[in-house]
Amino acid sequence: MATELRSPLLPPPPQRRLSPRAAAWAALAVSATVLLLPFLIGSRSTTTSTSSTRHPRPRSSPPSNPVELTLLTAASDKGAVCLDGSPPGYHLQAGSGAGSGSWLIHLMGGGWCDTVRSCSDRRTTYLGSSLFMQKVMDFTGILSNDPAQNPDFYSWNRVFVRYCDGASFSGDSQREAGPGNGTLFFRGLRIWEAVLDELMHKGLAHSKQALLTGCSAGGLATLLHCDDFRARFPPEVPVKCLSDAGFFVDAKDLSGQRSMRSVYSGVVHLQNVTKVLPKDCLLANKDDPTQCFFPAELVKSISTPTLIVNSAYDSWQVRFVVAPDRSSPDESWRGCRDDVRRCNSSQIQVLNAFRKTMVDDLVEAADGTNSSWFIDSCFTHCQTIFDSSGWNSAAAPRIGNKTLTEVIGDWYFGRSPSPVVRQVGCEYPCNPTCNRQPPVAGFYNKALPPREQANILVLG
């Protein structure tokens, strides 16, 4: 059955209400925008050129260090363009000292568009056009160049790749948007290739070590492109991949429907993403390749060392995959979705079943040598790219007395006893370091209707 998915960035037409699915994707884009707020309103940055250490001397109140947007205007000749045909872009902060020969590439998230209409709507937003992208941004979290906040990667070359294709940098097609509405360019795969080609010319080709990361839809993109990224370097160069909040689960909601499968099916068939999907999976799913777009299938084919960072109670998936509005007639679910601390015992059982599905999918996909994971029990979505969500802060959640920052550094640099790190937090609410975290549901501007949420994004 055809469903309508309005753009998460634009208000609906007059006298028309957003569908529940549209509200879900609006909220995911709101979440993505809030994740970017630390970049836009200031962060801690320095230009220290010392070697990376586990515990460098903290520095107080370092100045903001804006990183300018670079547009790949020449990439248009290769068809590497955003949904509206404008050139793609990225932000690059050069490394220093011992980190000048190391590179970290981060792929931005922002949901997906699965219909001609929803993709067309994105053309007048920063998720579909470089005309609306911020010209400068501050790097925080794993992108920060403050050694106190980012002890292992602060001096590396760090890149934030803008997301403007709506399919996790994977599509390769185009479609007419309708009479008088021009052409929609589904060119995520070409954007990925154009950005990497340019970065290779800027020094990435001579990198001594490299890390590919991404958040949410960018976390999925990290899994899609991990082995391709690895293949660009000589075998002796350490290359790994880190997917943050990108492990979306093919789970049933309270009514028995599969929201993620419906959306992924639209993306796969509209944008022609099969070029980046695992060949073995495609052979096994000839009638419908949608299954191959799910992380649980992608992980099975990845040969590059990969770390999955995710909450077992991912706040976005709880809100829109487990208990979307259409599936939860019980009003008490609204409070539970906004703040897990407001869930009753039966609702916690449902969330624990979702947690089990996620962990089981990881275990089934693991090959024993390359797949690592850090699955905490905090109610959050994306944990590596901004300082205020547990990245190397006093309130950082811990598993086994280690913060996520320490786990990632130990995993990448081989400081752990085993090259494979598999840490799964206990069931909520057993981890007291999670209970101190504010509910991430606030990111969704829950007090505002979808129209006002969309307006915030347009203005922001």
Side-chain angles (χ1 to χ4, degrees), residues 64-344:
S64 172
N65 189 359
V67 184
E68 294 185 357
L69 174 67
T70 298
L71 295 179
L72 284 77
T73 54
S76 299
D77 295 337
K78 300 178 181 179
V81 294
C82 298
L83 288 168
D84 69 332
S86 61
Y90 63 89
H91 301 258
L92 164 64
Q93 188 163 60
S96 60
S100 59
S102 303
W103 287 74
L104 185 153
I105 313 297
H106 182 89
L107 303 178
M108 175 183 169
W112 308 270
C113 59
D114 62 343
T115 65
V116 168
R117 182 176 183 178
S118 62
C119 291
S120 182
D121 286 344
R122 284 193 176 211
R123 293 184 300 179
T124 55
T125 74
Y126 66 87
L127 289 178
S129 171
S130 58
L131 297 177
F132 302 93
M133 293 177 183
Q134 294 88 349
K135 304 306 179 186
V136 296
M137 62 183 291
D138 285 333
F139 282 2
T140 59
I142 199 169
L143 294 172
S144 172
N145 67 349
D146 175 12
Q149 290 295 323
N150 190 23
D152 283 310
F153 307 103
Y154 74 95
S155 64
W156 285 31
N157 298 279
R158 283 151 290 111
V159 183
F160 183 90
V161 184
R162 287 280 176 174
Y163 180 43
C164 64
D165 66 279
S168 291
F169 298 92
S170 65
D172 191 13
S173 183
Q174 66 185 57
R175 182 79 65 87
E176 292 305 311
N181 292 323
T183 303
L184 281 170
F185 298 95
F186 304 131
R187 301 290 177 76
L189 177 57
R190 299 192 197 190
I191 291 173
W192 158 258
E193 292 173 344
V195 171
L196 264 292
D197 287 346
E198 175 155 321
L199 294 177
M200 295 294 275
H201 287 299
K202 288 191 172 184
L204 179 60
H206 306 291
S207 181
K208 298 178 181 177
Q209 51 193 356
L211 175 62
L212 177 66
T213 80
C215 161
S216 195
L220 174 63
T222 298
L223 300 177
L224 288 165
H225 295 297
C226 182
D227 279 348
D228 177 65
F229 185 69
R230 160 73 270 184
R232 295 171 183 264
F233 303 92
E236 65 272 14
V237 175
V239 178
K240 297 185 179 182
C241 302
L242 164 62
S243 174
D244 180 9
F247 201 86
F248 293 91
V249 179
D250 185 19
K252 293 181 179 180
D253 63 25
L254 297 176
S255 67
Q257 302 299 311
R258 296 181 182 270
S259 300
M260 289 305 303
R261 176 167 289 273
S262 176
V263 172
Y264 277 4
S265 177
V267 174
V268 167
H269 291 93
L270 176 67
Q271 296 216 31
N272 183 29
V273 306
T274 55
K275 291 182 181 179
V276 301
L277 300 182
K279 291 182 174 56
D280 290 346
C281 183
L282 290 175
L283 287 174
N285 295 272
K286 293 180 180 180
D287 294 335
D288 184 4
T290 301
Q291 181 70 24
C292 307
F293 202 60
F294 278 96
E297 291 296 330
L298 296 173
V299 171
K300 295 177 183 178
S301 67
I302 298 174
S303 59
T304 305
T306 302
L307 175 63
I308 306 291
V309 173
N310 229 99
S311 168
Y313 304 86
D314 185 293
S315 56
W316 187 86
Q317 295 193 63
V318 167
R319 190 174 174 88
F320 299 113
V321 176
V322 178
D325 281 336
R326 60 175 172 75
S327 72
S328 50
D330 185 352
E331 186 68 22
S332 68
W333 268 105
R334 296 183 182 275
C336 175
R337 293 176 312 178
D338 290 346
D339 183 349
V340 69
R341 293 173 294 187
R342 296 164 61 184
C343 298
N344 59 40

